[in-house]
Amino acid sequence: PSDHQSPPTQSPNPHTLSLPTSKPQTPTRTGVRRRTSPPAAAMPPPLQAHRMLLSHRRASPIPRRRFTAVSSLSSAPAKTLAPGPPASSILSIRESLLSGERTAADITSEYLSRLRRTEPSLRSFIHVAAAAAEREAEELDRRIASGGRDAVGPLAGVLVGVKDNLCTASMPSTGGSRILDGFQPAYDATAVRRLREAGAIVVGKTNLDEFGMGSTTEGSGFQVTTNPWDDSRVPGGSSGGSASAVSARQCVVSLGSDTGGSVRQPASFCGVVGLKPTYGRVSRFGLMAYASSLDVVGCFGSSVFDTATILSVIAGHDKMDSTSSSHDVPDYRSDLASLSLLESKPLNNVRIGIIQETLGEGVDAGVISSIRSAASHLEQLGSVVEEVSMPSFSLGLPAYYILASSEASSNLSRYDGIRYGQQVSADDLNEMYGDSRANGLGHEVKMRILMGTYALSAGYYDAYYKRAQQVRTLVKKSFEEALGKYDILISPAAPSAAYKIGEKTNDPLAMYAGDIMTVNVNMAGLPALVVPCGFVEGGSAGLPVGLQMIGSPFSEGKLLRVGHIFEQTLPDLSFVPPLLADD
């Protein structure tokens, strides 16, 4: 099931950073560090939680400034800074394997044990290939023992979860839909194949909203995934299973897909790093098509370095995908310096625009506070931050749903009970088509197919589909103008933190409105990175909030550099869910 007619494809460079002098750090009884309290006007009382104490700073509004000359990330003389989180799980695994400190079998056993313990409450995976993962780990250990260390790939021993709308030859691929229950492709998607070639071990297929249509993972045809920070809340969607699995350390990294925010919103809800690459940066070959002009294969990690490593492996031209770009793929890890090697103002004169329209009505106050605090922190690192207005920003959401539904109505016509999936017995062909789709497709998918078919029908095409394409052009031009003045644009990844399961299932418009922060990026085909930046009240330990960074086409390297510096210089926050407190 692909939208193509043919079968559905080092060590960091030492620049340095040292934080501006901050107030002394004091340990809390739970081990989470926080700064000593500044005057009451600058910081509200900290949020008391069952497992950890988190401090929330309230930043003053970002002042407007004149534009200043932009420079690349500074390479001034280095100053040392005490190490801080997060570390790279991929580097740690590789170093322990090559040093002989641990075996791939031990590492795999550790992750599988955690997966078995947490999966009954999380339900992140539709299919787990535990036996195959153990066999691959044992084979890797034999190769290393026989002197094959130099032939070990960059992802050797790294367990990867794959969203179930990416084809895998060795295990079922359902797209989260009953109509494909039990379907097993004859090939791997290009992104999956490249991960395997780099030595990664695919541990299983993660849950999703059916065919990627949803924002909570409640729309799966099989099960509802929960959030590791609070199992009464959604993990986001549609890549909720992939985000939840990384957050709970059921796997090291994971693949997702992003049509209108399906990587970035779950990353924010689950407190992990999520990357949506430029359209065409990663091959879509083997990705079950939802909206072909918007779909992008993305990735999740517990750190920016891990996410950059995955992108370096899966990116690049693919002859099986006519929309994949031939742009050269850099080693995205090469410019990611460790904390101890960073200078005091590593973002000196980098211009950052905070999108005004994303901090207004309809956005939770706690989310706004976290984003403004993040913007203040970027200023401390040397960047120039000011607000920028994008009046067409609010137009993207209705246009997106017209375009995505229209493309879905075409792409999903292939699921008819003949070529793929479940077939219902009937007396004639039309009845078989209708009954197979009626029984196999879920409510949300049917609704979007109907909406798209209506928008494309005679008499309505100009009023809806054509006008939506015109709005798309306006959105793209608006981003081009803003990114001509700023190196990076920032915003929340979602208007709120994770909400309760069932809270919005009966209000689809409210659920659609939650995508307002992310859909414009897909309409313009731009890259965007989400990094955890703070917490709001909720659950036993607070709920994470993600900062979205948006860049020009193929500027993933710049986003990853800024994100890597940002995440390393937040030493007072730990984004490990309470589910893992006893690990």
Side-chain angles (χ1 to χ4, degrees), residues 446-518:
K446 293 174 186 174
M447 182 168 65
R448 296 197 191 194
I449 290 173
L450 289 172
M451 284 172 26
T453 303
Y454 180 84
L456 292 173
S457 61
Y460 298 100
Y461 180 92
D462 287 348
Y464 294 105
Y465 185 78
K466 182 178 179 181
R467 183 169 295 182
Q469 289 285 31
Q470 292 169 335
V471 170
R472 183 176 190 171
T473 300
L474 291 177
V475 168
K476 186 175 181 179
K477 288 181 178 179
S478 178
F479 271 112
E480 289 175 351
E481 181 180 348
L483 288 168
K485 300 174 182 176
Y486 300 96
D487 299 290
I488 289 175
L489 302 176
I490 62 173
S491 76
S496 69
Y499 41 84
K500 295 282 188 178
I501 292 174
E503 184 176 327
K504 298 188 178 181
T505 51
N506 296 322
D507 190 355
L509 291 180
M511 191 178 299
Y512 296 166
D515 296 334
I516 192 167
M517 305 296 181
T518 53

